[in-house]
Amino acid sequence: KPKWMSPSAVRARYRIGGMDCVSCATKIETAVRRLPGIDEVGVSVASGTLTVMLADAHGAAAVERQVKSLGYSIEPADAQDTPSHAIGAGQAPHGESGRTDEAWWKQPKALLTIGCGVALVLAYVAGQLLQRIETWAFLAAMMIGLVPIARRAWSAAFAGTPFSIEMLMTIAAVGAIIIGAVEEAAAVVFLFLVGELLEGVAASRARASIRDLATLVPKTALLEEDGKTREVPAELLAVGGVIVVRPGDRIPADGEILDGSSSIDEAPVTGESTPKRKGVGDIVFAGTINADAVLRIRVTAAAADNTIARIVRLVEEAQESKAPTERFIDRFSTYYTPAVLVAGALVAVLPPLMAGASWPDWIYKGLAVLLIGCPCALVISTPAAIAAGLSAGARRGLLLKGGAVLEGLRKITTVAFDKTGTLTQGKPVVTDVVAIGVAEREVLSLAAALETGSNHPLAVAILARAKDDRVPIPPADDAKALAGKGVSGRVGGKTVLLCSPSAAAERTALSPEQSARIVAFNEQGKTVSVLLVDDQLTGLIAMRDEPRADAIVGLSALKAAGIRTVMLTGDNRRTAEAIGASLGIEVRAELLPQDKQSIVRELQSNGAIVAKVGDGINDAPALAAADIGIAMGGGTDVALETADAAVLHGRVLDIVNMVGLSQTVMTNIAQNITIALGLKAVFLVTTVLGVTGLWPAILADTGATVLVTANAMRILAWRGRSEPQPFFASDRP
């Protein structure tokens, strides 16, 4: 809590049923903000949530009453996922709109629409049979739908939102009754309800796209205790517990592999289509699939804090953060709706007063202008696209902290990369084995024998290469580390030493060719270990932290998009320049954290919009200084919390995908605004000319709203790319 806030202040988060557009969110936010004891209010249409900071816990009841008075249901955000026996006194109340997790066709909103439609059909039939009751029949049918709408308009007006869509609808319907257009008024009310229903269905689909991630985690897990396994609920797994995962099963918790090696399908969480081979010591995510071997895994995160839970929580919070375009549209709509009322009144009054035109005709047209001018389609054009973009990115391992980040990515002109763990794998691998007088396999075998049991990164690299090459590893006697030099021991009766070139030169003379070979490896940024057997040079092993497999493709794609790339690293200049040359990237080496920050500032002072990509820990100053900070390997808590965005899978190509997603979303927003304003402009002209009337006018709003929402939902099909291809050619759905 902020220091200025009362110690008794509490943060409460609710799920709201029936909140399907930005106008709904505005009404709720305005109404709740007017309550006493409310310090902070946040409403997200995309996630269907309300977050409030209450002065004390007693204010919760007032919040619930206020929201229900507007015609929405409200329940604590965790109520739907809490077992019934655990819900206590804080069980959720249910309002007019029904439970937030009900199927759309069971919602009261759907039932009201169906009831109004049936009444409209019955009124038509009754009017055909008995002409004298036709008007009354249509009036009764209209009132079925209009009364709830008017009640919501009245509540919203008293709660601080007099210019709501419901108020415009109510004025138009009552005005139509006064001038005798009852049949059209009934049709307009029904079409309005249909439009609201379709908005709700589309909004529910957008929310489900991210919440469905939570269903990836299995409900049960095999917990190992005292050498035996038993099935337990996955949500009860504690950190430190050991679970057994069989081939073909989903992994029920984030964890570290203790025993076993298997291919892990991470596509459900990261979008990566190729399974990754993982073994002892590797990290696995909840919801991923164990392909081909039994694994023993130590749990590293509770159910509420696993990777998928954090992704869902992050995206829902991000959807509450508005993009600059969205904030502009919100401000615009504040003035737009009253202007529509004024415009409708002028259309209804001026022609009869100034030109002697027919009052009924121009009042009719003025009412139609009210319906055409409803702002729903316009105000939802941006948040719908951004919510879909955030969801699409999250399902593919691209985590973005809000619409401002998503919108800003398309403006990036320079990307500054860390080296270790970002452009490279973050651990050395054996690149070259040079045998002198023996076979390469024997060099690896002897070196691995000395390194068995060591956790040193170079030792791990040698042992991994020996395992990959299936080289036998004999036992070593008297193995010991020589401080600052290497490791020695006896293997097969021979004295074996694996050491640095300088330590080897102390024991035996190196030929000019051998020395030149070592220098050449060093110039390539490689670390060289020398193998001596009975003080005779037997082999050289070169190791280096190699570039990621997709680094060249990702950097090339950024350059093709006109984005400058630069490597900022604290590593020595020779190694950095060798890696940089192989990747074709500008290099700045031997930097301290504050040096990286200074370079980012320097780039910005020259007019660049900078994204800094790093591990989220030692790059923190530069990540904070950059216009957008991106953490690679975003499965860590630090990466998710320190940067503006995170790449869960750690692929360089995903930086390109982030930019592509941003461009796709902003293009979609432009399309949505064009649809919303274009339809209104067309129907405004045809209405004033007398070509169209009330029911086409309501289609101009509800129809545009549905079209805009459906267009935004296309972003959910966005896939990004994993193969080299023309820049962003297939990113758009």
Side-chain angles (χ1 to χ4, degrees):
K1 299 172 187 175
K3 292 181 180 179
W4 51 264
M5 203 165 281
S6 166
S8 62
V10 293
R11 183 180 295 276
R13 195 160 184 265
Y14 301 93
R15 294 208 181 277
I16 307 298
M19 181 177 65
D20 304 321
C21 70
V22 179
S23 295
C24 299
T26 302
K27 281 186 295 187
I28 293 171
E29 182 175 351
T30 302
V32 173
R33 197 178 293 279
R34 290 163 63 93
L35 293 173
I38 300 296
D39 294 314
E40 182 183 314
V41 181
V43 183
S44 170
V45 177
S47 58
T49 58
L50 164 68
T51 304
V52 294
M53 184 64 77
L54 305 167
D56 56 62
H58 299 295
V63 171
E64 293 172 3
R65 283 195 302 271
Q66 187 80 313
V67 172
K68 287 198 292 180
S69 73
L70 297 174
Y72 304 97
S73 70
I74 178 171
E75 60 184 6
D78 57 352
Q80 293 173 25
D81 302 317
T82 305
S84 58
H85 64 272
I87 297 180
Q91 278 186 288
H94 304 300
E96 180 180 311
S97 294
R99 279 188 57 89
T100 63
D101 59 352
E102 280 184 331
W104 68 267
W105 49 272
K106 292 182 179 179
Q107 294 275 349
K109 185 180 290 187
L111 299 177
L112 177 62
T113 304
I114 294 169
C116 186
V118 170
L120 196 60
V121 172
L122 293 176
Y124 176 78
V125 173
Q128 294 298 309
L129 297 176
L130 296 170
Q131 190 72 30
R132 66 179 181 276
I133 69 166
E134 181 179 30
T135 298
W136 295 103
F138 276 106
L139 182 62
M142 183 196 68
M143 295 305 290
I144 290 175
L146 183 61
V147 168
I149 293 171
R151 187 173 62 196
R152 285 156 51 193
W154 189 259
S155 298
F158 271 92
T161 310
F163 302 116
S164 63
I165 175 65
E166 289 85 0
M167 183 63 74
L168 295 182
M169 184 68 227
T170 302
I171 293 171
V174 172
I177 294 171
I178 293 172
I179 63 173
V182 178
E183 296 87 346
E184 280 194 81
V188 164
V189 168
F190 172 67
L191 289 173
F192 175 79
L193 293 174
V194 169
E196 278 203 324
L197 180 61
L198 293 176
E199 287 174 27
V201 172
S204 297
R205 182 186 170 195
R207 292 168 191 155
S209 69
I210 188 64
R211 289 187 197 161
D212 284 350
L213 279 174
T215 64
L216 296 175
V217 180
K219 299 297 183 185
T220 61
L222 289 176
L223 180 66
E224 182 180 285
E225 293 177 324
D226 301 324
K228 298 180 180 179
T229 60
R230 65 186 180 93
E231 191 170 80
V232 299
E235 62 183 13
L236 299 182
L237 290 174
V239 174
V242 177
I243 56 176
V244 176
V245 183
R246 298 166 298 195
D249 287 352
R250 287 188 184 271
I251 296 172
D254 285 4
E256 178 184 351
I257 297 177
L258 297 179
D259 185 35
S261 175
S262 179
S263 291
I264 306 297
D265 180 3
E266 296 185 338
V269 177
T270 67
E272 174 59 37
S273 58
T274 304
K276 295 181 67 174
R277 193 77 191 176
K278 294 196 175 185
V280 175
D282 287 333
I283 300 299
V284 292
F285 302 138
T288 56
I289 302 170
N290 175 26
D292 53 27
V294 175
L295 296 176
R296 292 178 65 248
I297 298 171
R298 181 176 63 84
V299 177
T300 57
D305 296 316
N306 66 36
T307 299
I308 286 180
R310 290 203 308 273
I311 289 173
V312 172
R313 192 159 55 242
L314 177 69
V315 174
E316 290 190 340
E317 290 171 357
Q319 288 171 342
E320 295 174 9
S321 173
K322 294 183 178 181
T325 301
E326 185 177 354
R327 289 196 296 269
F328 170 76
I329 294 294
D330 283 353
R331 290 195 302 271
F332 176 76
S333 65
T334 302
Y335 302 100
Y336 173 84
T337 307
V340 167
L341 275 171
V342 172
L346 292 176
V347 168
V349 171
L350 288 183
L353 286 179
M354 300 181 67
S358 168
W359 279 97
D361 288 348
W362 284 96
I363 290 175
Y364 180 88
K365 292 177 181 179
L367 296 174
V369 168
L370 290 185
L371 298 179
I372 292 169
C374 290
C376 278
L378 182 61
V379 295
I380 204 173
S381 59
T382 300
I386 287 176
L390 292 172
S391 297
R395 294 182 71 88
R396 288 154 190 86
L398 311 180
L399 308 182
L400 307 169
K401 289 189 176 180
V405 177
L406 180 57
E407 184 172 335
L409 279 163
R410 70 189 176 109
K411 302 175 184 177
I412 293 299
T413 60
T414 301
V415 179
F417 289 92
D418 183 32
K419 180 182 78 70
T420 305
T422 299
L423 291 173
T424 65
Q425 297 174 13
K427 57 185 179 181
V429 295
V430 174
T431 58
D432 304 271
V433 178
V434 179
I436 301 172
V438 297
E440 285 188 9
R441 290 176 62 83
E442 185 172 349
V443 172
L444 269 177
S445 178
L446 294 173
L450 294 181
E451 298 287 20
T452 298
S454 173
N455 291 320
H456 190 280
L458 297 182
V460 172
I462 291 171
L463 291 168
R465 176 64 178 267
K467 181 179 179 180
D468 291 343
D469 291 356
R470 298 187 178 182
V471 172
I473 303 177
D477 299 322
D478 300 325
K480 58 184 177 181
L482 305 176
K485 295 184 178 181
V487 61
S488 68
R490 294 187 62 78
V491 181
K494 299 178 181 179
T495 300
V496 182
L497 174 66
L498 185 66
C499 59
S500 65
S502 58
E506 295 174 1
R507 293 176 176 263
T508 186
L510 302 180
S511 70
E513 293 81 7
Q514 293 164 348
S515 296
R517 193 71 177 271
I518 292 172
V519 170
F521 282 140
N522 287 335
E523 289 177 347
Q524 296 170 20
K526 298 177 181 178
T527 300
V528 180
S529 292
V530 179
L531 183 71
L532 300 179
V533 177
D534 291 334
D535 289 338
Q536 295 296 313
L537 183 62
T538 305
L540 306 174
I541 299 177
M543 290 163 280
R544 187 173 70 178
D545 181 12
E546 288 290 90
R548 292 179 182 270
D550 74 313
I552 292 178
V553 173
L555 292 173
S556 298
L558 286 170
K559 291 176 184 176
I563 297 174
R564 177 187 175 188
T565 58
V566 58
M567 178 199 295
L568 307 181
T569 178
D571 208 345
N572 69 77
R573 189 171 304 279
R574 184 172 58 187
T575 300
E577 289 181 347
I579 294 292
S582 67
L583 293 175
I585 186 174
E586 177 185 344
V587 175
R588 301 206 189 178
E590 299 177 355
L591 303 174
L592 296 173
Q594 57 266 35
D595 298 328
K596 296 180 182 180
Q597 183 185 43
S598 297
I599 291 173
V600 169
R601 297 288 192 202
E602 173 192 323
L603 293 169
Q604 291 170 325
S605 67
N606 292 328
I609 308 297
V610 181
K612 175 65 177 74
V613 186
D615 61 12
I617 303 172
N618 59 9
D619 285 307
L623 285 169
D627 295 281
I628 294 179
I630 303 174
M632 292 288 274
T636 65
D637 289 328
V638 173
L640 286 173
E641 293 173 9
T642 60
D644 300 306
V647 176
L648 190 62
H649 196 268
R651 299 187 312 171
V652 178
L653 190 60
D654 279 339
I655 305 301
V656 183
N657 281 334
M658 277 189 173
V659 178
L661 177 59
S662 175
Q663 292 187 345
T664 297
V665 169
M666 296 312 295
T667 298
N668 191 278
I669 288 172
Q671 293 169 349
N672 286 348
I673 293 174
T674 301
I675 291 170
L677 294 180
L679 275 177
K680 290 181 185 300
V682 169
F683 278 92
L684 181 63
V685 172
T686 57
T687 296
V688 172
L689 293 176
V691 177
T692 55
L694 284 178
W695 70 265
I698 194 63
L699 286 179
D701 178 63
T702 57
T705 302
V706 172
L707 286 175
V708 161
T709 307
N711 188 48
M713 293 305 99
R714 294 192 309 117
I715 297 175
L716 295 174
W718 180 87
R719 291 288 181 272
R721 60 198 182 100
S722 56
E723 299 294 337
Q725 53 188 265
F727 189 64
F728 302 140
S730 65
D731 284 357
R732 296 179 179 84

